[in-house]
Amino acid sequence: MIDDGTGLFTIGELARATGLTVRTIRYWSDEGVLPPVGRSAGGYRLYDTACVARLELIRTLRELGLGLEDVHRVLAGERTVAEVAATHVAALDAQIRALKVTRAVLSSVARRGSSAEEMTLMNRLARLSAAERQRIMAEFVAETLHGLDTVDPDIQERMRRTAVDLAENPTPEQVDAWVELAEMLQDPEFRAQMRRAVEFNAADRAPGAPPGRSMWFARRLVELVAPARERGTDPAAPEAEDVLRELFGDADRTAVLERMTAGFNERVARYRELLAIVNRQPAPPHAEDFAWVVAALRARAGR
């Protein structure tokens, strides 16, 4: 406090009293958030005890990460501390989410030994918004179903409801899965493969057939195959023929194999597995049952 009986402080005295630097206090004063109450005879800025309290509030708000514009609005009474804090919390949440994605991407890059090109792609895909990720899936489904009105309605509904729900703080494994899934969804070869599977479904469904036939077949397959697998029945063994006959009757095994491999193969299985990882869901059930049927059909194809 200067010795002129006014009870006012110079910037140097404020600095000593608060532990802040003269440079910081001068900067805040220049920016208008700590205006002086007057000037000394020598032209030095002077501050009163209210300025000391104001300075403590400014320091607190700045330590919490608020910009000077928000600090000025609080001090001017244009916004309450609570309002600014709520806005800042939302901004911090967004930053934290972005940092978690960054960490997951970098962890994945380090683990995979990715190239610069792969890292760039991974980072771009990982930062897509939820709407952008769902748009990629919706375009894939729309192309797969386009013009195939006779596809089992239950299958159509299940495909259109397929979600891509990457967590806000994904693990490196989830980032890996989403990147691989996104690449698969945009792969013309995989798109054509899924289209063939759906075309078979449309061709096999009789006009006016009730919905759900495809789902019924899947349940029936599991009912028949699971016990055979549990008994250790080899797909190539003669006993496997009984299961195939129950499922397909006397239909040509080569034609049936073509339809089965279109909808149940390694890439399709991987697609479903990736969806489960991204959406934090259990692994798709019964994949081994379908693989067993395909193996049994392959063992008999062309006989």
Side-chain angles (χ1 to χ4, degrees):
M1 187 178 297
I2 60 176
D3 297 326
D4 62 357
T6 62
L8 299 178
F9 300 85
T10 64
I11 285 181
E13 289 167 331
L14 273 183
R16 286 190 293 273
T18 61
L20 292 165
T21 66
V22 169
R23 182 178 179 181
T24 296
I25 297 173
R26 183 178 291 115
Y27 172 67
W28 288 348
S29 186
D30 290 343
E31 290 297 315
V33 295
L34 187 69
V37 296
R39 295 269 179 174
S40 69
Y44 293 104
R45 284 177 268 205
L46 299 176
Y47 303 88
D48 59 13
T49 53
C51 291
V52 177
R54 185 183 181 96
L55 184 57
E56 288 297 336
L57 176 57
I58 295 169
R59 172 160 61 180
T60 299
L61 293 173
R62 292 292 287 155
E63 287 176 348
L64 290 173
L66 272 68
L68 284 177
E69 184 177 349
D70 280 330
V71 171
H72 190 279
R73 288 175 178 172
V74 170
L75 295 173
E78 296 174 4
R79 298 189 71 185
T80 67
V81 171
E83 289 171 340
V84 173
T87 301
H88 202 58
V89 165
L92 284 174
D93 285 343
Q95 293 174 20
I96 289 169
R97 288 194 296 271
L99 286 172
K100 287 179 177 178
V101 171
T102 298
R103 184 183 186 281
V105 169
L106 290 175
S107 297
S108 181
V109 168
R111 188 178 67 255
R112 292 168 51 155
S114 302
S115 66
E117 292 78 8
E118 291 171 332
M119 180 180 67
T120 299
L121 173 64
M122 189 180 304
N123 186 55
R124 180 179 66 80
L125 291 173
R127 294 184 188 282
L128 291 177
S129 68
E132 289 169 328
R133 289 192 294 269
Q134 198 57 40
R135 176 185 55 77
I136 292 174
M137 174 59 73
E139 288 177 352
F140 167 75
V141 172
E143 180 178 314
T144 302
L145 292 174
H146 179 69
L148 301 177
D149 298 333
T150 59
V151 172
D152 189 323
D154 281 7
I155 295 296
Q156 294 187 49
E157 179 65 16
R158 285 169 67 91
M159 291 183 67
R160 291 193 172 104
R161 286 193 290 106
T162 303
V164 180
D165 182 25
L166 186 66
E168 290 185 349
N169 54 335
T171 65
E173 292 75 19
Q174 289 166 345
V175 170
D176 278 350
W178 162 239
V179 170
E180 185 179 345
L181 177 62
E183 292 173 331
M184 185 177 287
L185 292 174
Q186 298 172 83
D187 177 10
E189 184 177 333
F190 181 69
R191 284 180 173 237
Q193 180 180 344
M194 290 294 285
R195 173 74 177 184
R196 284 195 300 274
V198 176
E199 286 173 342
F200 281 132
N201 184 282
D204 291 342
R205 184 167 178 266
R213 172 72 184 178
S214 301
M215 304 307 298
W216 174 88
F217 172 78
R219 289 192 294 270
R220 179 63 174 159
L221 184 148
V222 172
E223 290 173 358
L224 293 171
V225 174
R229 288 183 53 248
E230 291 172 2
R231 292 193 300 269
T233 303
D234 188 279
E239 295 82 0
E241 181 62 32
D242 294 336
V243 177
L244 295 181
R245 188 174 295 107
E246 284 283 339
L247 277 172
F248 308 114
D250 296 327
D252 179 72
R253 295 291 187 260
T254 302
V256 172
L257 175 60
E258 184 180 6
R259 283 163 165 73
M260 287 293 296
T261 52
F264 306 100
N265 55 61
E266 290 182 1
R267 287 205 82 188
V268 174
R270 181 58 176 164
Y271 163 76
R272 291 170 177 155
E273 180 183 0
L274 292 172
L275 273 175
I277 294 172
V278 170
N279 292 330
R280 304 172 302 286
Q281 295 173 346
H286 312 306
E288 293 182 351
D289 296 325
F290 286 93
W292 186 96
V293 171
V294 170
L297 289 167
R298 281 180 176 153
R300 291 158 177 78
R303 286 186 183 177

